[in-house]
Amino acid sequence: NGLGALNTVPVEGWVQLVAFIGAHEILVKPRANGLGAYDFGFGSELLEGADEAEIQRRQTSERNNGRLAMVAILGMLWQDGTFGISPFALMRETGLWGPNIDFIIKDIPMCAGGSMCAVNPAGTRVARSAIALHAEATEEPRMSLALPYLKYPEQLDGWVGGEKGFDPMNITMALPVYWCREAELKHGRVCMLATVGWIATDSGLRFAGDMFQNVSTIEAHSKMVEAGVMAPFLAAVGVVELYGGWLTINGFEERIKRDAGDFFIGKQVLPKDPEQERLMRLKEIENGRLAMLAFSGICTQAVLFKSTWPFM
């Protein structure tokens, strides 16, 4: 049953299925004078004679049912792939609430010890309790140093750069800090390189080759697309992204020993003293944050006013 049925289809069966779907996609066209490009004549004739309000109601019902069906089939596929049993059989074995799926939320900080996630309480297998969002305070709350009117995000403890507690949108309450730090370091590093590259280009530095000459920084992307440079460039970036994604997933799941953002390049130059190493990591994060703001400002200034660095 379920996904296991795919293994029972022979090769000739897949060929027939692909051929049938391909023929339908190529040969079946919207009917002439129909309701639109979506009208293939399969049941839409039932709408003939209905007034506009009724047609709109029926089409809305179809769209809503289709959206619900898409979500439903995704859920059924996930359930079958995760537990290997049909929904009704799973319900008979584990009850109405189903098996324990706390593993799905175990890495989300807001679900680890408090907030709004439903968890499996001790002492019962199927019962669920919603944790109160506003528990009675037993001590003075710890406030953020960056935003003294907000509570300190406790999940940032132990992370370099999190000492000031700046997370006004509570992003790290919904997402694991490991992933947030990975994204922050990647974007910060890219923007540091981009800022230096933009200033260098505006200052007149160019690669060798006629295609790189007499091209402004704003025009560079379009000109490189026209010259055919972007395809190999994106391929190289794609290789790096695939490697980075593999490192991130395995590091997050602790299959390998890896800090967020660590590509195992350059760690040899870090100070041996733990405190000095922490300061170096902090400098990278803060410079990256500054570069993200700087690069956004550079792009905006250059495009709006058609000017070059230093924009004076």
Short mmCIF file of all heavy atoms in Angstrom, two decimals, residues 3 67-87 90 104:
data_model
loop_
_atom_site.label_atom_id
_atom_site.label_comp_id
_atom_site.label_asym_id
_atom_site.label_seq_id
_atom_site.Cartn_x
_atom_site.Cartn_y
_atom_site.Cartn_z
N LEU A 3 3.27 4.27 -0.63
CA LEU A 3 4.48 4.42 -1.43
C LEU A 3 5.06 3.08 -1.85
O LEU A 3 5.74 2.98 -2.88
CB LEU A 3 5.53 5.22 -0.65
CG LEU A 3 5.17 6.67 -0.33
CD1 LEU A 3 6.24 7.29 0.54
CD2 LEU A 3 4.97 7.48 -1.60
N ARG A 67 -6.95 22.60 -3.34
CA ARG A 67 -5.91 22.99 -2.39
C ARG A 67 -5.89 22.06 -1.18
O ARG A 67 -4.83 21.66 -0.70
CB ARG A 67 -6.15 24.44 -1.94
CG ARG A 67 -5.92 25.47 -3.04
CD ARG A 67 -6.55 26.81 -2.71
NE ARG A 67 -6.33 27.78 -3.79
CZ ARG A 67 -7.01 28.91 -3.91
NH1 ARG A 67 -7.96 29.23 -3.04
NH2 ARG A 67 -6.75 29.73 -4.91
N LEU A 68 -7.08 21.73 -0.69
CA LEU A 68 -7.16 20.81 0.44
C LEU A 68 -6.60 19.44 0.06
O LEU A 68 -5.87 18.81 0.84
CB LEU A 68 -8.61 20.67 0.89
CG LEU A 68 -8.90 19.68 2.03
CD1 LEU A 68 -8.14 20.10 3.29
CD2 LEU A 68 -10.39 19.60 2.31
N ALA A 69 -6.90 18.99 -1.16
CA ALA A 69 -6.41 17.68 -1.60
C ALA A 69 -4.88 17.68 -1.73
O ALA A 69 -4.23 16.67 -1.41
CB ALA A 69 -7.04 17.32 -2.94
N MET A 70 -4.29 18.79 -2.18
CA MET A 70 -2.83 18.85 -2.29
C MET A 70 -2.18 18.73 -0.92
O MET A 70 -1.18 18.01 -0.74
CB MET A 70 -2.42 20.15 -2.98
CG MET A 70 -2.70 20.17 -4.48
SD MET A 70 -2.04 21.62 -5.34
CE MET A 70 -3.24 22.87 -4.89
N VAL A 71 -2.72 19.44 0.06
CA VAL A 71 -2.19 19.34 1.42
C VAL A 71 -2.40 17.93 1.97
O VAL A 71 -1.53 17.35 2.60
CB VAL A 71 -2.85 20.39 2.33
CG1 VAL A 71 -2.41 20.21 3.78
CG2 VAL A 71 -2.53 21.80 1.86
N ALA A 72 -3.59 17.36 1.69
CA ALA A 72 -3.92 16.03 2.21
C ALA A 72 -2.98 14.96 1.65
O ALA A 72 -2.48 14.10 2.39
CB ALA A 72 -5.37 15.68 1.89
N ILE A 73 -2.73 15.00 0.32
CA ILE A 73 -1.88 13.96 -0.26
C ILE A 73 -0.45 14.10 0.23
O ILE A 73 0.26 13.10 0.43
CB ILE A 73 -1.96 13.99 -1.80
CG1 ILE A 73 -1.29 12.75 -2.40
CG2 ILE A 73 -1.33 15.24 -2.35
CD1 ILE A 73 -1.92 11.44 -2.00
N LEU A 74 0.02 15.34 0.44
CA LEU A 74 1.35 15.52 1.00
C LEU A 74 1.45 14.91 2.39
O LEU A 74 2.43 14.24 2.73
CB LEU A 74 1.71 17.00 1.04
CG LEU A 74 2.05 17.67 -0.29
CD1 LEU A 74 2.26 19.17 -0.10
CD2 LEU A 74 3.30 17.06 -0.90
N GLY A 75 0.40 15.14 3.20
CA GLY A 75 0.38 14.56 4.53
C GLY A 75 0.34 13.05 4.51
O GLY A 75 1.03 12.38 5.29
N MET A 76 -0.43 12.48 3.61
CA MET A 76 -0.53 11.03 3.52
C MET A 76 0.78 10.42 3.03
O MET A 76 1.19 9.35 3.52
CB MET A 76 -1.68 10.64 2.58
CG MET A 76 -3.06 11.03 3.11
SD MET A 76 -4.41 10.65 1.96
CE MET A 76 -4.41 8.86 2.04
N LEU A 77 1.45 11.08 2.06
CA LEU A 77 2.73 10.59 1.60
C LEU A 77 3.77 10.60 2.71
O LEU A 77 4.54 9.67 2.90
CB LEU A 77 3.22 11.43 0.41
CG LEU A 77 2.46 11.25 -0.91
CD1 LEU A 77 2.91 12.31 -1.92
CD2 LEU A 77 2.67 9.86 -1.48
N TRP A 78 3.78 11.72 3.47
CA TRP A 78 4.74 11.82 4.59
C TRP A 78 4.44 10.77 5.65
O TRP A 78 5.35 10.11 6.16
CB TRP A 78 4.68 13.21 5.19
CG TRP A 78 5.61 13.37 6.35
CD1 TRP A 78 6.92 13.74 6.31
CD2 TRP A 78 5.30 13.13 7.73
NE1 TRP A 78 7.46 13.75 7.57
CE2 TRP A 78 6.49 13.38 8.46
CE3 TRP A 78 4.16 12.74 8.42
CZ2 TRP A 78 6.54 13.25 9.85
CZ3 TRP A 78 4.21 12.61 9.80
CH2 TRP A 78 5.41 12.87 10.49
N GLN A 79 3.16 10.61 5.98
CA GLN A 79 2.78 9.63 7.00
C GLN A 79 3.16 8.22 6.58
O GLN A 79 3.72 7.45 7.36
CB GLN A 79 1.27 9.73 7.25
CG GLN A 79 0.73 8.75 8.29
CD GLN A 79 0.26 7.45 7.65
OE1 GLN A 79 -0.20 7.44 6.51
NE2 GLN A 79 0.40 6.36 8.37
N ASP A 80 2.92 7.89 5.31
CA ASP A 80 3.25 6.55 4.83
C ASP A 80 4.76 6.33 4.78
O ASP A 80 5.26 5.27 5.17
CB ASP A 80 2.66 6.35 3.43
CG ASP A 80 2.86 4.93 2.93
OD1 ASP A 80 2.07 4.04 3.31
OD2 ASP A 80 3.80 4.70 2.17
N GLY A 81 5.50 7.37 4.33
CA GLY A 81 6.95 7.23 4.26
C GLY A 81 7.61 7.18 5.63
O GLY A 81 8.65 6.54 5.81
N THR A 82 7.00 7.84 6.62
CA THR A 82 7.59 7.89 7.96
C THR A 82 7.27 6.64 8.77
O THR A 82 8.14 6.09 9.45
CB THR A 82 7.10 9.14 8.71
OG1 THR A 82 7.43 10.31 7.94
CG2 THR A 82 7.76 9.24 10.08
N PHE A 83 6.01 6.19 8.71
CA PHE A 83 5.58 5.08 9.56
C PHE A 83 5.33 3.79 8.80
O PHE A 83 5.16 2.74 9.42
CB PHE A 83 4.32 5.49 10.34
CG PHE A 83 4.51 6.70 11.21
CD1 PHE A 83 3.96 7.92 10.87
CD2 PHE A 83 5.28 6.62 12.36
CE1 PHE A 83 4.15 9.04 11.66
CE2 PHE A 83 5.48 7.73 13.16
CZ PHE A 83 4.92 8.94 12.82
N GLY A 84 5.25 3.84 7.46
CA GLY A 84 5.11 2.63 6.67
C GLY A 84 3.82 1.88 6.89
O GLY A 84 3.79 0.64 6.84
N ILE A 85 2.73 2.61 7.13
CA ILE A 85 1.46 1.95 7.41
C ILE A 85 0.35 2.89 6.97
O ILE A 85 0.51 4.11 6.97
CB ILE A 85 1.34 1.61 8.92
CG1 ILE A 85 0.13 0.72 9.19
CG2 ILE A 85 1.31 2.86 9.76
CD1 ILE A 85 0.07 0.21 10.61
N SER A 86 -0.79 2.33 6.57
CA SER A 86 -1.89 3.16 6.09
C SER A 86 -2.49 3.96 7.25
O SER A 86 -2.37 3.58 8.42
CB SER A 86 -2.97 2.29 5.45
OG SER A 86 -3.59 1.48 6.45
N PRO A 87 -3.16 5.09 6.95
CA PRO A 87 -3.71 5.94 8.02
C PRO A 87 -4.66 5.21 8.96
O PRO A 87 -4.56 5.35 10.19
CB PRO A 87 -4.42 7.05 7.25
CG PRO A 87 -3.70 7.13 5.94
CD PRO A 87 -3.32 5.72 5.62
N LEU A 90 -2.81 2.73 11.12
CA LEU A 90 -2.05 3.46 12.13
C LEU A 90 -2.96 3.92 13.26
O LEU A 90 -2.60 3.85 14.45
CB LEU A 90 -1.35 4.66 11.50
CG LEU A 90 -0.41 5.45 12.40
CD1 LEU A 90 0.82 4.62 12.75
CD2 LEU A 90 0.04 6.74 11.71
N ILE A 104 9.76 15.76 15.67
CA ILE A 104 9.65 16.79 14.63
C ILE A 104 9.97 18.17 15.21
O ILE A 104 10.53 19.02 14.52
CB ILE A 104 8.24 16.78 14.02
CG1 ILE A 104 7.98 15.43 13.33
CG2 ILE A 104 8.05 17.92 13.03
CD1 ILE A 104 6.59 15.29 12.78
#
